[in-house]
Amino acid sequence: MTAKIRKIATWVEETHLEMGQQIAPATRKAVAAAVIENPFAGRYVEDLTPLIEIGAALGDLLGRRAVQALGVSPQEIESYGKAAMVGENGELEHAAALLHPKMGAPLRAAVEKGAALVPSSKKRGGPGQDLDIPLGHKDAAYVRSHFDGVEIRLNDAPRADEILVAIAVTDSGRPLPRVGGLTHGDAEGKDGLR
């Protein structure tokens, strides 16, 4: 089964100034999101394999689009995250099927490596509701400067029988990080933690 995509949205957020301090280079986050038809809306289905396969395809499509939006090479991506919001006729397990079993591998290919788990969130909502996408360092989960998130909202999605799916990537950590811990430069990325 292939995804029936109604809409794709891609954008970049740049922070140049934080608490009166110049951020140079700016911290940048890109999000690529798709609004898809939920093939299982309004009914219970035991086998969610079709959504799992759609998740793999969206991991590739949205991962590549997010990287391209930043205009950097895949190896320059420092953190990533994913999220999905099902419309009111869907269930959270539909979001989980998209996000977990197979979306990670193609996303990791799009950012080259990705030893760390991809942070994720899922929720039920309606048109115009906010979707928070958690972010974490792609190769070393203990890099605190990259514990972050980005919020998106589409005024017309998700409709009751749709799912809003999003992938976010960055080429930096938070603006002005100063809570200690492992740094991006010191991360080895061998075990996904350090």
Side-chain angles (χ1 to χ4, degrees):
M1 177 181 288
T2 59
K4 291 184 181 176
I5 298 174
R6 179 170 67 84
K7 178 184 279 193
I8 294 177
T10 307
W11 63 93
V12 175
E13 173 186 304
E14 296 184 0
T15 301
H16 295 269
L17 194 65
E18 181 80 12
M19 296 301 291
Q21 303 296 307
Q22 192 69 37
I23 308 299
T27 61
R28 300 179 334 130
K29 302 171 185 176
V31 178
V35 179
I36 67 167
E37 176 184 280
N38 182 346
F40 303 130
R43 61 194 173 101
Y44 177 83
V45 175
E46 184 67 32
D47 182 3
L48 298 178
T49 300
L51 278 176
I52 293 169
E53 297 304 326
I54 288 171
L58 291 175
D60 176 56
L61 173 68
L62 299 177
R64 286 185 293 108
R65 284 197 179 211
V67 172
Q68 289 169 356
L70 281 184
V72 298
S73 64
Q75 64 267 21
E76 292 177 90
I77 298 300
E78 293 186 12
S79 65
Y80 54 19
K82 58 189 178 178
M85 183 187 318
V86 295
E88 66 181 282
N89 292 337
E91 62 175 297
L92 289 180
E93 198 65 7
H94 298 161
L98 287 168
L99 296 176
H100 297 304
K102 291 192 176 181
M103 183 178 275
L107 173 55
R108 286 179 176 87
V111 301
E112 290 190 6
K113 200 173 178 183
L117 289 173
V118 184
S120 67
S121 70
K122 60 196 75 58
K123 67 189 290 187
R124 179 179 288 113
Q129 189 165 345
D130 295 334
L131 177 62
D132 291 312
I133 309 163
L135 290 164
H137 195 279
K138 73 173 187 177
D139 294 318
Y142 291 164
V143 177
R144 288 187 202 140
S145 58
H146 289 57
F147 295 172
D148 202 359
V150 61
E151 180 181 291
I152 66 165
R153 182 178 64 81
L154 296 178
N155 66 330
D156 66 345
R159 295 173 181 164
D161 296 339
E162 292 180 330
I163 307 173
L164 170 61
V165 185
I167 285 180
V169 298
T170 77
D171 61 2
S172 57
R174 291 186 314 278
L176 309 174
R178 54 194 188 277
V179 294
L182 187 65
T183 66
H184 170 71
D186 293 331
E188 294 178 8
K190 292 179 183 172
D191 62 2
L193 300 175
R194 294 176 179 76

